[in-house]
Amino acid sequence: MRKIITVIFCTIGVIFMACKTEPDSNAVKKEVLNIHDKLMIDGEKVVKNRMKLDTILKSDKLKSAKDSITLINLISRLNKADENMMDWMHFFKHNFKGKTEQEELDYYKSEMIKIRSVEDGYIKVTRESDSVLKVYNVLPSKNLKMEQHKH
């Protein structure tokens, strides 16, 4: 009877170990790349908003030196957000020959944290630039996906 109970518990243990809830490295990698793809589209908006703000900066629409400084700082932050994305892409590794599944998983989890940080930066700076553009009666740029849905 004890042997049967031991076998049952061992079988249950093996089943639970096989049904791990943690995603594998390929799933995490796919999610990281999906975020990257979305950010590539968002990056277009960052560039367009930066160009519109630069146009305002060079125009006669500015009311004060303080407004000029605000725009210069915002343009700088848009540039930095774009640079952060380029840096992330430059250092991202796609292949892991000779690495274990756990090493790949750990790497892609760390990349997930980095790409989420880039995403947060894009979100904050595009919201702020959208608001500033509206103040100057300039329509903020739309994401490419949004424009495509209108057709």
Side-chain angles (χ1 to χ4, degrees), residues 52-59 61-62 71 133 136 138:
K52 289 178 181 185
L53 290 170
D54 191 49
T55 301
I56 294 168
L57 185 63
K58 294 175 182 174
S59 73
K61 293 182 179 182
L62 296 175
L71 285 181
L133 288 170
Y136 288 96
V138 176

Side-chain angles (χ1 to χ4, degrees), residues 79-130:
N79 284 332
K80 182 64 178 161
D82 196 37
E83 287 173 23
N84 289 344
M85 179 63 176
M86 296 302 146
D87 288 346
W88 180 85
M89 289 189 311
H90 178 75
F91 292 107
F92 181 74
K93 296 178 182 136
H94 290 279
N95 298 321
F96 281 92
K97 294 180 180 175
K99 301 290 183 179
T100 67
E101 171 69 20
Q102 188 61 49
E103 289 171 322
E104 287 184 43
L105 181 60
D106 292 344
Y107 174 76
Y108 291 125
K109 282 181 174 182
S110 72
E111 290 304 302
M112 178 67 74
I113 293 167
K114 292 175 189 175
I115 196 70
R116 289 284 186 194
S117 176
V118 170
E119 181 181 43
D120 289 345
Y122 266 25
I123 290 169
K124 289 175 186 173
V125 77
T126 54
R127 283 182 184 163
E128 188 175 341
S129 63
D130 286 350

